[in-house]
């Protein structure tokens, strides 16, 4: 299936693309956001990152139809600082992150992301990395499996599912998505199976997040991205579940809200904030988008703008 970009107009409006700016798309995917940036940024440059080589190959061709002032880079976005340093780029005018899996990744039955297609347990966004879902399912301890199912999937039956995985493994390895789905279904009570939503959804999400180190990568990239902004530069992030959204909200809060002051201590001067929230509340999809694209249901867009250099940087 073609990837329909989520909150496309809202996020591009929020970026306020300048025609001579330097922009980074950390999640190129099928190039929906990157194409719109490139259309507006005719004299600047776009650096488009993705850890999935297929996304890089396909979107390079798509972007070349829009302009030539772009560079696609195959890398995990946690390497944002290293990548920009290697390109000789200092501060930038805008960064966008549209998190999660793209529709082509999810719909490619061979990549093991979907509980609806039978495939080898894989779930790697970056096919060059070694850790895959098979390794997680077949080698992690029961404690580790319980922890990740609880933490990343908020799965109420984490312990039972983890125990069942470990006991099945003692007989033979669990090799495919359907084997895992059957095992999960065999553990869950009938009243849970009768509920709306796929019974393996939470577990698949949790294993995918572990395989791709999603929250750790996001934390590193947010910190790098925030500090890479020029004054006036903007970082816009689209998240798809509460754990991601919380990370983004907290990373933005840490730099855009005044620190709590202990009034009993002597005042150390007025705190000058370097960043401001572009929107206090996250932007969500319009009714029209919700009706047209199922993926937009859980999407939230948050943005931050740098208002000034830090005192240390000004001195440099
Ligand atoms: C939701 S899609 C982006 C779609 C894109 N904005 C568009 O409009 O076509 C997310 C993309 O980010 C990539 N991705 C996810 N995690 C990544 C990471 N840690 N580093 C680099 N790319 C990542 C995925 O491979 C996927 O192609």
């Amino acid at each position: 299936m073609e990837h329909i970009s989520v909150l496309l107009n809202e996020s591009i409006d929020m970026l306020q693309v300048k025609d001579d700016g330097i922009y980074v798309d950390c999640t190129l995917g099928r190039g929906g956001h990157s194409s719109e940036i490139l259309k507006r940024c005719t004299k600047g440059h776009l650096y488009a990152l993705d850890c999935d080589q297929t996304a890089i190959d396909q979107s390079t061709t798509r972007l070349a139809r829009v302009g030539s002032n772009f560079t696609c880079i195959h890398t995990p976005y946690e390497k944002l600082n290293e990548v920009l340093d290697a390109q000789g780029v200092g501060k930038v005018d805008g960064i966008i992150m549209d998190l999660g899996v793209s529709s082509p990744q999810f719909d490619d039955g061979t990549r093991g992301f979907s509980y609806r297609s039978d495939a080898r347990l894989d779930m790697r966004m970056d096919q060059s990395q070694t850790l895959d879902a098979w390794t997680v399912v077949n080698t992690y301890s029961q404690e580790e499996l319980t922890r990740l199912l609880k933490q990343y999937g908020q799965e109420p039956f984490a312990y039972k599912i983890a125990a069942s995985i470990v006991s099945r493994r003692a007989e033979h390895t669990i090799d495919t998505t359907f084997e895992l789905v059957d095992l999960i279904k065999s553990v869950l009570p009938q009243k849970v199976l009768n509920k709306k939503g796929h019974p393996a959804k939470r577990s698949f999400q949790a294993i995918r997040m572990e395989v791709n180190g999603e929250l750790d990568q996001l934390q590193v990239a947010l910190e790098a991205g925030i500090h890479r902004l020029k004054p006036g530069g903007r970082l816009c992030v689209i998240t798809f579940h509460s754990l991601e959204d919380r990370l983004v909200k907290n990373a933005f809060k840490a730099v855009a809200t005044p620190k709590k002051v202990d009034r009993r201590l002597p005042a150390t001067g007025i705190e000058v904030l370097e960043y401001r929230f572009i929107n206090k509340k996250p932007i969500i999809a319009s009714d029209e988008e919700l009706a047209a694209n199922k993926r937009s249901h859980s999407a939230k867009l948050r943005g931050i703008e740098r208002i000034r250099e830090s005192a240390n940087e000004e001195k440099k």
Side-chain angles (χ1 to χ4, degrees), residues 3 5 25-33 49-52 55 75-77 98-102 105 125 217 295:
H3 182 85
S5 304
D25 182 350
C26 287
T27 50
L28 170 65
R30 285 307 181 266
H33 289 89
L49 282 39
D50 205 296
C51 61
D52 184 338
T75 179
Y77 54 59
D98 172 19
L99 304 177
V101 185
S102 67
Q105 287 170 326
M125 293 193 206
Q217 289 244 356
R295 276 189 75 249

Side-chain angles (χ1 to χ4, degrees), residues 3-6 8 25-34 49-53 55-56 59 62 73-79 96-105 111 113 125-126 212-214 217-218 221 238 240 295:
H3 182 85
I4 308 171
S5 304
V6 172
L8 181 61
D25 182 350
C26 287
T27 50
L28 170 65
R30 285 307 181 266
H33 289 89
S34 275
L49 282 39
D50 205 296
C51 61
D52 184 338
Q53 188 60 49
I56 296 282
S59 297
R62 177 173 180 185
I73 303 164
H74 178 233
T75 179
Y77 54 59
E78 67 174 352
K79 297 233 158 63
I96 189 159
M97 304 171 91
D98 172 19
L99 304 177
V101 185
S102 67
S103 304
Q105 287 170 326
R111 300 201 50 180
F113 286 108
M125 293 193 206
D126 180 351
N212 297 289
E214 293 182 28
Q217 289 244 356
L218 178 58
I238 304 169
F240 290 88
R295 276 189 75 249

Side-chain angles (χ1 to χ4, degrees), residues 121 123 132-141 145 165-166 169 173-176 180 183 207 211:
L121 282 169
M123 300 194 200
D132 62 6
W134 189 96
T135 312
V136 171
V137 170
N138 287 287
T139 68
Y140 275 29
S141 70
L145 288 168
I165 288 175
V166 171
R169 265 171 20 193
T173 54
I174 302 163
D175 296 324
T176 67
L180 183 61
L183 180 146
I207 295 167
V211 168

Side-chain angles (χ1 to χ4, degrees), residues 4 8 24 44 58 70 74 89 95 103 115-116 156 206 216 244 262 302 305 316:
I4 308 171
L8 181 61
V24 184
Q58 299 204 353
F70 71 91
H74 178 233
V89 177
I95 301 174
S103 304
Y115 34 74
R116 297 191 198 283
D216 292 344
E244 287 173 348
D262 186 340
R302 291 184 190 270
E305 184 185 86
K316 276 183 203 165

